[in-house]
Amino acid sequence: MNLFPVSEGDRIHQLDVIRGFALLGIVLVNMPTFLHPMLFLPADALPIQHTRADEWLRLLFNMFIQTKFYTIFSFLFGAGFYLFMHRAEQKGLPIKRLFARRLWVLLGFGMLHLIFLWYGDILHTYAIAGCILLWFYYKSQKTVHAWAWSLLIFYQGLMTLLLLLPSDPASQQMEGKAGLVVMALQAYNEGAWPQWMGFRLAYEIPYVISNEFFAVITILPLFLLGFSLARQGLFHRTADFLPAIRRVWWTSLFLSLPLVAMIPLLQESVLVLPSSADTGVLVFVGLSGLTLCGFYITSLMLLCADEAWRKTLMPLAFVGRMALSNYVLQTFVFTGMVRLFHIYGKISMLTGTIICLILFVLQIIGSRWWLARYTYGPLEWVWRCLTYGSRIPLRKKQVLK
């Protein structure tokens, strides 16, 4: 019986391309939280000291990046869930036990990442929400779609109702958080490791835990949609779905235009709603995140259907194949920079964006170098070994001397 995971020949490279593209957006989204105490700053998500260039960059982030990429990653997680379960089932393996073990390992990675590096970890949330996916594996497409769309409509409906509130509760709490901003800057820039960890355990991680339910509700419907479409054969038989992909591309583009346009209109107070401008921006950033997620995914799928474009986009696939390792590496790099150079709260968004782009280029180069010699990324290899309970060969045979 073959206990090894998916081989190189069985990989779906367009998924790796999409995953790599998502990692670029994720490091850009996470960058402000790596460099600034965003949990305790005003809802406009700008650094304490910022320039007009930072304000314009924040606007572009809100329009085209913020919430647009964790949605892609969540969709891909659902697709990956089906592919993992289906392949294991074909090999006659205990699929539920294997996937449960896979989630436990992911939860361990996530908790280590959350506690010892950065409060914005998404891995532990994926592991928690992934447990619910097991219940849907043998459910009908109708049931899966009903749950997915019901959860999407429920959560986004609640968020949309915020537009009717005449005041912004979050802004009323900011006065009490001013002291936490000072404490965060001191802990990150001047505090020794115990003080830094103490601050994070006392103020950052409890905030994450208190919002865990809403985080799960947000990503679960995306899991279900990715799972459902993978089960229908979207990624194995993409050519058969091209007409439908083009329809989704046009639909998502059509829906995204007005939703994205609302963000600068509200941010610059051209339009005024009953709610605060910050609340309005938050709602439309979330709504456009869903539609642009569909637009970005279908755009990449259509491009990957063309041979020339597929070759052009292949560098993204190297990063995507090592998504877990590269995701954690991004945290290591920024956390290390902050602690080593004492720059927390001092870096502009523009400088942070430049650092992100340089880092991502280096990740492309490094991932390509690594995958020329090894079959999996380092954390991917550990994840697979622990999932299958067997030591899987890491080094490629052809490079052995």
Side-chain angles (χ1 to χ4, degrees):
M1 184 180 296
N2 181 14
L3 293 179
F4 295 115
V6 59
S7 66
E8 172 67 20
D10 294 330
R11 294 199 68 88
I12 303 175
H13 293 290
Q14 63 178 328
L15 286 180
D16 292 328
V17 169
I18 299 171
R19 197 176 287 115
F21 176 72
L23 272 171
L24 172 59
I26 284 172
V27 72
L28 289 170
V29 168
N30 291 341
M31 173 267 296
T33 64
F34 287 141
L35 298 174
H36 300 274
M38 286 298 173
L39 280 182
F40 316 117
L41 292 176
D44 59 12
L46 282 165
I48 302 171
Q49 296 180 348
H50 57 270
T51 64
R52 185 59 176 167
D54 288 335
E55 294 177 6
W56 281 106
L57 195 56
R58 179 74 259 174
L59 175 59
L60 291 175
F61 271 46
N62 286 341
M63 293 172 68
F64 302 111
I65 299 176
Q66 195 73 31
T67 76
K68 282 67 175 177
F69 288 89
Y70 87 86
T71 48
I72 297 177
F73 234 86
S74 301
F75 176 87
L76 294 178
F77 186 95
F81 160 75
Y82 170 75
L83 296 174
F84 177 89
M85 297 284 281
H86 182 63
R87 286 164 179 158
E89 190 173 37
Q90 287 181 322
K91 297 173 184 177
L93 301 177
I95 58 175
K96 291 188 177 180
R97 188 192 312 165
L98 272 181
F99 191 71
R101 192 185 303 165
R102 183 176 175 85
L103 290 179
W104 275 111
V105 178
L106 184 64
L107 180 62
F109 282 144
M111 294 306 298
L112 291 172
H113 188 224
L114 170 68
I115 294 172
F116 294 105
L117 287 175
W118 177 54
Y119 68 83
D121 171 76
I122 195 65
L123 301 177
H124 75 283
T125 305
Y126 277 15
I128 295 170
C131 295
I132 305 174
L133 276 177
L134 285 170
W135 185 76
F136 286 96
Y137 185 67
Y138 291 111
K139 299 298 181 182
S140 67
Q141 292 290 87
K142 182 179 180 180
T143 299
V144 173
H145 287 169
W147 275 93
W149 288 109
S150 296
L151 288 171
L152 269 180
I153 293 171
F154 171 74
Y155 182 78
Q156 295 302 326
L158 287 179
M159 292 298 295
T160 304
L161 288 176
L162 294 177
L163 298 175
L164 303 177
L165 295 179
S167 62
D168 184 2
S171 64
Q172 298 174 4
Q173 301 172 4
M174 292 317 300
E175 292 183 6
K177 292 183 177 181
L180 292 177
V181 172
V182 176
M183 292 173 61
L185 294 174
Q186 182 179 8
Y188 275 79
N189 285 327
E190 303 171 17
W193 190 83
Q195 182 182 355
W196 177 61
M197 282 297 300
F199 176 82
R200 298 187 65 251
L201 290 171
Y203 299 105
E204 292 181 346
I205 295 176
Y207 177 87
V208 173
I209 294 174
S210 68
N211 286 277
E212 199 64 51
F213 173 77
F214 295 102
V216 171
I217 292 297
T218 302
I219 64 175
L220 182 57
L222 299 166
F223 281 9
L224 293 174
L225 290 175
F227 159 65
S228 174
L229 290 174
R231 184 163 67 175
Q232 293 178 61
L234 174 64
F235 301 107
H236 282 101
R237 298 181 288 105
T238 303
D240 298 339
F241 289 86
L242 285 179
I245 292 173
R246 291 190 182 96
R247 287 196 296 271
V248 173
W249 187 88
W250 281 109
T251 302
S252 58
L253 175 62
F254 177 78
L255 293 174
S256 296
L257 290 174
L259 294 176
V260 170
M262 287 293 293
I263 296 170
L265 293 177
L266 292 170
Q267 190 163 311
E268 300 300 320
S269 300
V270 177
L271 290 179
V272 178
L273 299 175
S275 65
S276 69
D278 288 338
T279 298
V281 168
L282 175 68
V283 171
F284 282 98
V285 164
L287 291 172
S288 62
L290 295 173
T291 57
L292 277 181
C293 167
F295 176 75
Y296 290 155
I297 290 175
T298 53
S299 295
L300 289 170
M301 293 188 73
L302 291 172
L303 291 174
C304 285
D306 179 83
E307 181 67 23
W309 270 108
R310 185 162 58 250
K311 291 181 179 179
T312 302
L313 294 171
M314 191 52 62
L316 293 175
F318 297 126
V319 181
R321 283 182 58 184
M322 296 174 51
L324 177 60
S325 297
N326 280 313
Y327 171 73
V328 175
L329 179 61
Q330 290 169 355
T331 305
F332 265 109
V333 169
F334 274 98
T335 303
M337 287 174 49
V338 165
R339 298 290 294 161
L340 184 62
F341 299 109
H342 311 289
I343 56 174
Y344 197 65
K346 301 176 183 179
I347 298 295
S348 69
M349 282 198 64
L350 180 58
T351 301
T353 300
I354 294 172
I355 295 173
C356 287
L357 296 177
I358 294 173
L359 172 60
F360 191 75
V361 171
L362 293 176
Q363 286 189 305
I364 290 175
I365 297 171
S367 297
R368 183 171 187 172
W369 179 91
W370 180 275
L371 292 171
R373 292 158 177 79
Y374 303 97
T375 307
Y376 309 104
L379 290 184
E380 285 77 8
W381 178 72
V382 173
W383 193 12
R384 282 162 171 77
C385 289
L386 294 176
T387 296
Y388 287 88
S390 175
R391 190 182 187 282
I392 299 169
L394 176 60
R395 182 178 286 272
K396 289 186 175 180
K397 293 181 180 180
Q398 59 266 34
V399 300
L400 289 175
K401 301 296 183 183

